[in-house]
Amino acid sequence: MWPDTMDAVRAIVADLRSRAAKYGRTLRFGYRVHVVVRETEAEARVAADLLLSKLDDAEGRAIRERSLDSQSAGVRRQAELREGSDDGYAEANLWTGIGRARSGCGAAIVGDPDQVLAKLNAYRAEGIDAFILSGYPHAAEADLFARHVLPRIEHGPLVI
């Protein structure tokens, strides 16, 4: 699933598990989200804001409208999260600004290493089994995540 509030994630997981159980099935859940991690929350927020500092709102809207998924339920939900937030945060450390410049996955976990780890672990506690994480620029953000957060995440071995 794409980013959403913790309450919404909890409700979606519970609903889908209930539906699957009616057929004797179980489900596993994945979560797609961007990440902006810095040594402090203040630095992470500055880095997030900097990503869109030169974005013209009309150009952002045009980018979103050109996307093939622009009318999907998921994209509508990302817009609801973005529009329902006064400061760009749908809840603690869930920044919706990314969705101003793209369609699809429109939010990021933003914070210091402890906050990012806590947010990911909270999703895991709600039943999320796998994550697809990205950032901008991707290689630089992946490196920051790998240095500051990844060593502290309990995970299975990477099998190639």
Side-chain angles (χ1 to χ4, degrees):
M1 67 184 75
W2 284 340
D4 213 323
T5 63
M6 201 60 66
D7 287 343
V9 169
R10 184 179 303 113
I12 291 166
V13 169
D15 176 48
L16 292 175
R17 281 187 172 152
S18 174
R19 290 183 198 205
K22 291 176 185 174
Y23 297 94
R25 303 194 65 185
T26 59
L27 298 174
R28 297 186 68 198
F29 297 90
Y31 195 80
R32 165 79 171 97
V33 67
H34 303 282
V35 176
V36 180
V37 63
R38 297 296 184 275
E39 289 188 23
T40 69
E41 181 179 13
E43 290 171 331
R45 283 178 171 247
V46 167
D49 290 340
L50 188 60
L51 289 173
L52 301 178
S53 63
K54 296 184 190 302
L55 177 70
D56 174 76
D57 283 336
E59 181 60 27
R61 188 170 27 265
I63 291 167
R64 291 189 309 272
E65 289 172 357
R66 282 193 303 265
S67 297
L68 295 176
D69 65 354
S70 65
Q71 301 303 311
S72 75
V75 169
R76 279 194 306 273
R77 178 60 183 150
Q78 297 298 288
E80 289 170 5
L81 287 172
R82 191 172 57 255
E83 293 161 7
S85 169
D86 292 334
D87 65 353
Y89 287 80
E91 65 183 10
N93 305 107
L94 186 63
W95 180 61
T96 63
I98 293 286
R100 289 182 49 224
R102 59 164 290 151
S103 189
C105 174
I109 298 171
V110 175
D112 67 33
D114 292 334
Q115 292 167 319
V116 171
L117 180 62
K119 192 75 164 176
L120 291 172
N121 284 337
Y123 289 125
R124 291 174 79 186
E126 295 302 334
I128 302 298
D129 298 305
F131 293 92
I132 299 172
L133 305 173
S134 61
Y136 297 102
H138 186 70
E141 198 63 49
D143 180 65
L144 287 164
F145 183 85
R147 285 190 284 127
H148 294 293
V149 182
L150 188 59
R152 299 169 54 198
I153 293 178
E154 225 178 281
H155 58 83
L158 178 60
V159 180
I160 300 179

